[in-house]
Amino acid sequence: MTSFDPHSRLAILAAEYAARAEAIRRDLARAHSADFAEQAQQRQNDEVLEALLAEATAAQRQVALAKMRLAEGSYGQCLRCGQPIAPARLQAMPAAEFCLGCADLPA
């Protein structure tokens, strides 16, 4: 079993989300067809891309906040109850803000 290094895992995630967001921005910036029917389909695709971009941007923010918590020494502590977040949860979701019990609670 390999040991979990939050610094490197968060850096990898940040790079992945940045690359994903950049690729989506490039797709959104491309010109649309002059054909009306094709342009309508492209506009629908743009809506999907915009939703994906919003998800990638939100994930980038979560990773940035996790990196701040890591630098401050509070990484791995639940932001709601203050208890430690299970190591398995952090390995699966390195930017997790809440322990499993608090993650199930309504916001």
Side-chain angles (χ1 to χ4, degrees), residues 7-95:
H7 289 281
S8 63
R9 186 65 180 119
L10 289 170
I12 290 168
L13 279 177
E16 287 174 0
Y17 290 131
R20 184 178 303 165
E22 181 56 32
I24 294 169
R25 284 187 188 96
R26 276 194 311 272
D27 284 346
L28 284 169
R30 75 183 183 287
H32 289 93
S33 171
D35 179 79
F36 180 74
E38 191 171 325
Q39 191 178 88
Q41 180 64 44
Q42 289 171 335
R43 297 282 183 202
Q44 286 180 333
N45 292 343
D46 285 351
E47 290 177 13
V48 172
L49 288 173
E50 287 167 359
L52 291 172
L53 179 58
E55 287 177 7
T57 302
Q60 283 180 297
R61 263 193 307 277
Q62 287 180 319
V63 169
L65 291 171
K67 289 169 98 175
M68 285 177 32
R69 290 191 303 275
L70 191 59
E72 295 168 350
S74 61
Y75 179 79
Q77 280 183 280
C78 178
L79 296 181
R80 190 168 283 154
C81 71
Q83 294 299 309
I85 298 172
R89 180 167 171 76
L90 290 173
Q91 285 180 350
M93 299 176 62

